[in-house]
Amino acid sequence: MDKSWDGKFSNLKISKLAFPELYQELKGLQHKDRGDRLRFLAMLGLYSLHNLSHNKKRSASFECEQPSEEDTPSSTEGKVDKLQIKKSELKDRLLSSMGDKI
C-alpha cells in the first residue's frame, strides 16, 4: 500500500450527531470558507497538541501539592464543575497562546 498522500480529502463527512458543534460551525459557510475554517481548526488543534507538553510540565508542579479537604469535591456535581473549570482554563490558555494568529 502506497503511503504517499496528495493532500486531498475526497470523502470527509462531519457527522451532525457525533460532532454537533463542529457541524454547526461549518454548516453556514460556503465551500471554500468551510475548507479554510476546517484547516484553521485543524491547525489550532495541532498547535494545542504541540503546546500540551509545555502545559503538562507547568501543571505538574501544581499536582504535587496535596489538595485540602475544601478543594476536594464531595459529589459528582462538584467533579463535573471542576472538569468544566479545567476545560475552560485549557481553552483560555490555548486561545491566549495563539495571540494574533486567530
Side-chain angles (χ1 to χ4, degrees):
M1 179 183 211
D2 185 19
K3 293 193 178 200
S4 64
W5 179 51
D6 64 358
K8 294 180 183 178
F9 282 104
S10 58
N11 292 320
L12 178 66
K13 181 174 180 172
I14 307 297
S15 170
K16 185 177 6 178
L17 298 175
F19 306 100
E21 292 173 349
L22 179 59
Y23 183 84
Q24 288 301 322
E25 176 80 20
L26 300 174
K27 179 177 145 181
L29 300 174
Q30 296 295 322
H31 179 71
K32 182 177 181 337
D33 294 335
R34 190 179 302 127
D36 290 343
R37 184 66 178 157
L38 192 56
R39 276 189 291 280
F40 176 77
L41 291 171
M43 282 179 37
L44 189 61
L46 289 172
Y47 189 80
S48 69
L49 288 175
H50 179 10
N51 286 329
L52 189 60
S53 63
H54 172 71
N55 292 337
K56 282 185 179 179
K57 289 176 187 175
R58 196 173 91 181
S59 66
S61 63
F62 296 119
E63 291 175 3
C64 293
E65 298 174 9
Q66 294 294 328
S68 66
E69 288 184 24
E70 295 173 355
D71 295 339
T72 307
S74 59
S75 68
T76 304
E77 186 176 298
K79 290 178 183 178
V80 170
D81 290 341
K82 189 173 181 180
L83 177 63
Q84 291 297 334
I85 291 168
K86 291 289 185 185
K87 285 172 72 175
S88 178
E89 289 172 354
L90 181 60
K91 179 181 175 184
D92 291 342
R93 284 197 316 247
L94 173 62
L95 292 174
S96 66
S97 70
M98 289 298 292
D100 299 342
K101 298 175 185 175
I102 296 178

